[in-house]
């Protein structure tokens, strides 16, 4: 069974229709890269999945649960939205770390806030917080950031900040990781250190959707590639199918103007 099913998703901003009846599904452990020109709807698609934007219509099913149904008249409250967002880890283009907190606090802040909702929190606060911090330290170690836990974002390189952002998302144990152009704000020499972590996650069977302009990386890491154009899924297939034998003129044109 697919871990994520999206049916007939639509989203407009004013009179501009950004997503036009988008349907999509993926299996657990699959890595899907989404490519396409600027303005094709890629980022809006991710933001609708993670409830950073609310779709106008359609349906989203994650791990068997209907988390969005455009036909429902019931408006979700903040707690309900947060619970649904917990299924996803979101990594932004611009890192979005809290500048006033050090690395360890950036990673542990959300898990600690969520822990307060546990019925056993008051009784076991110290043990719960210790477990959260131990997990964060382990993740930071895996990301090569053990020596940066007391540093603030302004003391880190762009690549290090993005690695912290990835660890922060992983600390919440999401079902699916969503990456929105994770290297677009980085200098070329810093891009590889972020891509290595994403490759490590892929090798560890993490389910991921990656919006990217790194065509060679998408080609090497993806189980499947989705080409979006003007708000629709214009073509989908394996990397070999997409890069080796593009079927539509729109994809051929996009690839001919993109460096592989």
């Amino acid at each position: 069974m697919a871990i994520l099913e999206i049916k007939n998703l639509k989203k407009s901003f004013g009179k501009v229709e950004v997503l036009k009846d988008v349907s999509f599904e993926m299996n657990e452990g699959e890595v899907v890269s989404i490519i396409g020109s600027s303005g094709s709807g890629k980022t809006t698609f991710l933001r609708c999945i993670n409830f950073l934007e609310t779709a106008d219509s359609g349906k989203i099913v994650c791990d068997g649960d209907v988390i969005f149904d455009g036909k429902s008249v019931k408006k979700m409250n903040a707690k309900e939205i947060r619970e649904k967002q917990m299924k996803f880890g979101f990594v932004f283009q611009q890192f979005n770390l809290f500048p006033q907190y050090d690395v360890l606090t950036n990673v542990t802040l959300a898990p600690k806030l969520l822990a307060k909702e546990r019925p056993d929190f008051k009784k076991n606060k110290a043990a719960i917080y210790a477990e959260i911090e131990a997990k964060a330290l382990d993740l930071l170690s895996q990301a090569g950031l053990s020596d940066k836990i007391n540093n603030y974002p302004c003391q880190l390189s762009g690549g290090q900040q993005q690695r912290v952002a990835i660890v922060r998302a992983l600390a919440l144990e999401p079902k699916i990781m969503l990456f929105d152009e994770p290297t677009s704000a980085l200098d070329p020499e810093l891009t590889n250190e972020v891509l290595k972590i994403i490759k490590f996650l892929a090798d560890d069977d993490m389910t991921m959707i990656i919006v990217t302009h790194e065509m060679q990386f998408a080609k090497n890491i993806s189980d499947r590639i989705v080409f979006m154009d003007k708000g629709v899924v214009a073509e989908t297939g394996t990397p070999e199918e997409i890069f080796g034998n593009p079927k539509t003129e729109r994809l051929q044109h996009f690839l001919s103007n993109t460096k592989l």
Side-chain angles (χ1 to χ4, degrees):
M1 184 177 72
I3 192 170
L4 181 65
E5 299 174 83
I6 296 170
K7 301 176 183 178
N8 310 116
L9 206 67
K10 294 183 180 181
K11 176 65 179 177
S12 296
F13 295 99
K15 295 182 179 180
V16 180
E17 193 176 14
V18 180
L19 297 179
K20 307 172 183 177
D21 200 25
V22 174
S23 294
F24 168 90
E25 66 177 47
M26 68 185 303
N27 296 318
E28 187 171 7
E30 191 175 17
V31 178
V32 176
S33 291
I34 301 179
I35 64 173
S37 302
S38 177
S40 60
K42 306 183 303 297
T43 291
T44 299
F45 179 61
L46 285 193
R47 291 176 68 87
C48 285
I49 294 174
N50 195 44
F51 295 92
L52 295 172
E53 302 286 352
T54 302
D56 299 325
S57 62
K59 181 180 286 189
I60 303 174
V61 182
C62 182
D63 202 24
D65 296 327
V66 178
I67 61 173
F68 174 77
D69 188 345
K71 294 181 179 179
S72 174
V73 296
K74 181 180 180 294
K75 187 175 181 179
M76 292 180 289
N77 59 40
K79 183 179 180 181
E80 289 172 323
I81 291 174
R82 186 170 67 249
E83 288 174 350
K84 295 174 188 296
Q85 287 177 323
M86 286 288 294
K87 294 180 180 289
F88 305 95
F90 199 105
V91 178
F92 299 86
Q93 297 180 32
Q94 299 293 336
F95 323 137
N96 285 17
L97 300 177
F98 296 111
Q100 70 272 34
Y101 297 134
D102 63 22
V103 166
L104 184 60
T105 305
N106 262 280
V107 174
T108 59
L109 182 62
K112 285 183 176 180
L113 288 173
L114 289 167
K116 292 180 180 180
E117 299 178 4
R118 289 175 50 166
D120 63 336
F121 175 73
K122 288 185 178 180
K123 182 179 179 181
N124 300 312
K125 177 181 176 180
I128 291 170
Y129 276 5
E131 182 180 351
I132 289 171
E133 290 193 5
K135 178 182 175 182
L137 290 170
D138 180 56
L139 288 170
L140 287 165
S141 175
Q142 291 181 51
L145 294 164
S146 292
D147 60 337
K148 303 295 182 183
I149 61 172
N150 296 316
N151 288 51
Y152 288 82
C154 64
Q155 298 172 312
L156 305 177
S157 70
Q160 289 168 339
Q161 289 186 62
Q162 191 62 296
R163 281 188 280 158
V164 173
I166 293 171
V167 169
R168 180 177 62 177
L170 290 170
L172 292 170
E173 299 183 345
K175 292 282 185 183
I176 302 171
M177 285 287 287
L178 308 175
F179 294 86
D180 184 18
E181 301 263 12
T183 61
S184 65
L186 301 178
D187 294 331
E189 61 267 25
L190 298 177
T191 294
N192 281 340
E193 64 185 66
V194 173
L195 296 182
K196 284 180 181 178
I197 289 191
I198 299 175
K199 177 65 165 60
F200 172 80
L201 294 175
D203 291 342
D204 200 37
D205 294 327
M206 185 76 207
T207 309
M208 296 188 285
I209 303 176
I210 308 166
V211 168
T212 184
H213 63 278
E214 298 283 346
M215 294 298 108
Q216 192 62 49
F217 179 70
K219 183 177 181 180
N220 292 337
I221 197 174
S222 307
D223 298 301
R224 188 157 46 96
I225 292 178
V226 171
F227 170 59
M228 290 190 68
D229 184 64
K230 298 179 180 178
V232 302
V233 174
E235 193 165 340
T236 183
T238 65
E240 292 76 15
E241 291 168 336
I242 292 294
F243 292 108
N245 186 29
K247 296 180 175 61
T248 64
E249 287 187 14
R250 286 186 287 184
L251 178 55
Q252 292 171 15
H253 177 75
F254 171 75
L255 292 177
S256 67
N257 289 281
T258 303
K259 184 179 178 180
L260 292 179

